[in-house]
């Protein structure tokens, strides 16, 4: 497998809860305990309210394809062996958008506004990440 250590996501004390949930097949979001507003990616504080700590809530795993690109030639050598792959911005049913991969969908069937569901893939030895596929 191609060496990817330099581009792996950062797992720290803030994101550890999220990564542990993903390993167990759960997608988590953070919620402001006062306003109820959801946020993604994991942060130590509520966006716009640094005095508050967010709480974790489980997302449904449902989403809609907001935007995407099919990468056929990667300029980053660590991704060259994965081409072609589809990078996407997925709007979760709960509202936040996240960047992910579309998997198990033929290129000619991918389109914006497509309904998606989360699936989990080991993208690097020991690293499971949420990806999305067609409903």
């Amino acid at each position: 497998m191609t060496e990817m250590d330099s581009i792996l996501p950062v797992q720290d004390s803030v994101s550890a809860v999220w990564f542990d949930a993903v390993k167990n097949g759960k997608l988590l979001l953070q919620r402001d305990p006062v306003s109820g507003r959801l946020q993604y990616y994991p942060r130590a504080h509520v966006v716009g309210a640094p005095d508050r700590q967010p709480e974790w809530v489980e997302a449904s795993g449902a989403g809609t394809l907001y935007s995407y690109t099919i990468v056929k030639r990667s300029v980053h050598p660590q991704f060259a062996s994965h081409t072609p792959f589809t990078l996407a911005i997925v709007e979760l049913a709960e509202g936040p958008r996240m960047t992910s991969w579309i998997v198990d969908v033929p290129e000619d069937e991918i389109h914006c506004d497509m309904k998606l569901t989360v699936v989990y893939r080991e993208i690097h030895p020991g690293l499971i990440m949420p990806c999305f596929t067609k409903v």
Side-chain angles (χ1 to χ4, degrees):
M1 177 164 276
T2 303
E3 178 58 47
M4 292 179 62
D5 291 340
S6 66
I7 57 172
L8 293 176
V10 174
Q11 297 185 46
D12 58 18
S13 61
V14 173
S15 64
V17 171
W18 188 85
F19 282 102
D20 288 344
V22 166
K23 288 177 192 172
N24 291 304
K26 293 181 181 180
L27 180 61
L28 297 182
L29 299 172
Q30 290 180 315
R31 178 173 57 202
D32 179 344
V34 174
S35 71
R37 182 172 179 228
L38 295 168
Q39 64 186 36
Y40 177 83
Y41 56 89
R43 296 172 177 94
H45 304 285
V46 170
V47 173
D51 59 321
R52 292 197 297 265
Q53 286 191 331
E55 57 191 14
W56 293 100
V57 295
E58 187 172 352
S60 67
T64 302
L65 183 56
Y66 181 78
S67 182
Y68 71 97
T69 187
I70 298 172
V71 179
K72 298 197 182 242
R73 212 174 43 166
S74 178
V75 295
H76 203 292
Q78 281 85 351
F79 285 108
S81 66
H82 295 284
T83 58
F85 59 92
T86 303
L87 287 177
I89 298 175
V90 176
E91 186 168 307
L92 300 173
E94 294 81 6
R97 293 179 183 156
M98 69 181 292
T99 303
S100 187
W101 289 5
I102 303 297
V103 296
D104 305 328
V105 182
E107 287 180 20
D108 61 346
E109 293 181 23
I110 298 172
H111 59 88
C112 289
D113 298 324
M114 179 171 65
K115 297 301 179 193
L116 302 169
T117 189
V118 71
V119 293
Y120 300 91
R121 296 289 190 268
E122 186 174 41
I123 65 165
H124 184 70
L127 178 63
I128 298 171
M129 292 294 287
C131 297
F132 287 83
T133 194
K134 180 170 62 170
V135 171

